[in-house]
Amino acid sequence: MTLWRSLFVAASLLAAPLSLAHAQTPQMVKAKNVVLVHGAWADGSSWSEVIPILQAAGLHVTAVQNPLSSLADSVEATKRALAEQDGPTVLVAHSWGGTVISQVGNDPKVTGLVYVAARAPDANEDFVALSKQFPTGPVRAGIVEHDGDTKLSEDAFLKYFANGVKPEQAKELYAVQWPTAASIFAGRTTEAAWHAKPSWYAVSKNDYTINPDLERFLAKRMNATTVELDAGHLSLVSHPKEVANLILEAAGYPRS
C-alpha cells in the first residue's frame, strides 16, 4: 500500500465517526401540519378555539373525531388522519387523547408531541395505578355509566370538567360530549413515543379531572418543554392562545 493510499484510508476512518455523530444530532424540523386528538367526554369541536390561531399561522390543521369506543379504535382513527398529512406533523392531545398519541407518535411524519392536561403513559404502564398515587379529582364522582359507556353528569361537567370556561360555552360542550367506553381508561399502550420525540406539556393548575401534580410528574418524566396555565381541565377552550402558542413552538413557528 502506498503512502498516499495509507493516508487516505486513515483519514476516512477518522472521518466516519464524526459523520455518524453529526447524523444522530436531533434537528428541529418545521412542521406543515397539526393533528389534534380530543379526550374523553368530548369531540373534535373542543379544539374550535385553537384551530383558527394555528390556521392563521399557516398550518394545515386536522381534528380527529376520536370514537372513544376503544383504545384500538381511537389509535386507528388517528393513524388514518396522520396518513393523510403531507409532510412533517405535530401531534397534539388533550386529556385521555394523550394515551393515543403516545401509542402512534413514532410515525415518521411526527416531529413533536404536545400534551394538553393529558395522560402520557409509558409502554405497558398501568396508568390507573399510577393515577391512584395522586389525589382523585372531584369530577370522578360525576361519571355515569350505562351499557358500558360513560358520560359526565351535567353538574360534574360544568363544575369540575369545564371549570374556568364561560358558562354558556360549557353548556354547549356538555351538550355535545361524546359517550366514552368505560374500558378505555384501563387500556395500555405498547409504545411511548415521548421517549423518542421532542415533547411539550401544558399543565392546568386548576384541573379537577387530572391532578395537576400528576401532570407535572408526566411532563418532568418525558423531559417536556412545560408551561403552567391558570386553567381548569379544558385549557384548550379557556386559554386557547396559550395552548396554540405551545403548539406553534413545537411546530417551529413564531408565537401568535
Side-chain angles (χ1 to χ4, degrees):
M1 182 180 291
T2 67
L3 177 61
W4 288 111
R5 181 175 174 82
S6 298
L7 290 172
F8 177 79
V9 170
S12 299
L13 290 172
L14 287 170
L18 294 174
S19 299
L20 180 61
H22 184 266
Q24 291 175 338
T25 302
Q27 300 293 324
M28 182 69 182
V29 178
K30 190 172 184 178
K32 296 171 60 178
N33 314 293
V34 175
V35 171
L36 306 166
V37 182
H38 66 80
W41 309 306
D43 68 2
S45 68
S46 59
W47 295 104
S48 61
E49 301 292 331
V50 172
I51 290 171
I53 302 172
L54 301 179
Q55 290 175 332
L59 284 159
H60 174 259
V61 185
T62 301
V64 178
Q65 291 295 352
N66 184 353
L68 299 175
S69 49
S70 70
L71 175 56
D73 290 346
S74 298
V75 163
E76 285 306 309
T78 302
K79 283 183 174 180
R80 286 194 298 271
L82 281 172
E84 295 171 356
Q85 305 308 307
D86 177 21
T89 302
V90 171
L91 193 53
V92 186
H94 174 244
S95 195
W96 181 81
T99 305
V100 178
I101 70 168
S102 295
Q103 178 68 34
V104 306
N106 282 325
D107 185 293
K109 290 181 181 177
V110 175
T111 58
L113 304 169
V114 181
Y115 294 81
V116 181
R119 291 184 171 211
D122 207 342
N124 200 40
E125 182 172 51
D126 184 343
F127 199 84
V128 173
L130 174 64
S131 299
K132 288 179 179 177
Q133 296 178 31
F134 298 83
T136 300
V139 77
R140 298 296 173 186
I143 296 174
V144 180
E145 185 173 345
H146 181 71
D147 290 337
D149 283 334
T150 65
K151 279 192 169 184
L152 292 177
S153 69
E154 184 171 7
D155 186 63
F157 193 101
L158 300 179
K159 283 185 181 178
Y160 306 124
F161 191 71
N163 60 306
V165 176
K166 294 177 182 177
E168 62 274 15
Q169 197 171 15
K171 288 181 179 179
E172 290 175 6
L173 292 166
Y174 169 74
V176 300
Q177 71 164 307
W178 200 251
T180 300
S183 60
I184 70 170
F185 297 107
R188 299 193 189 191
T189 62
T190 58
E191 298 184 48
W194 47 264
H195 281 295
K197 298 293 175 82
S199 301
W200 287 257
Y201 200 109
V203 172
S204 285
K205 293 196 288 186
N206 306 316
D207 201 322
Y208 296 141
T209 300
I210 297 178
N211 186 280
D213 284 334
L214 173 55
E215 295 176 13
R216 294 182 181 106
F217 166 83
L218 298 172
K220 184 176 181 180
R221 180 170 72 169
M222 70 172 75
N223 195 30
T225 299
T226 305
V227 296
E228 296 216 356
L229 305 178
D230 289 314
H233 192 58
L234 296 183
S235 59
L236 67 172
V237 180
S238 63
H239 290 66
K241 185 171 182 179
E242 291 91 333
V243 170
N245 276 334
L246 192 65
I247 297 169
L248 289 170
E249 180 180 324
Y253 283 65
R255 289 169 172 257
S256 66

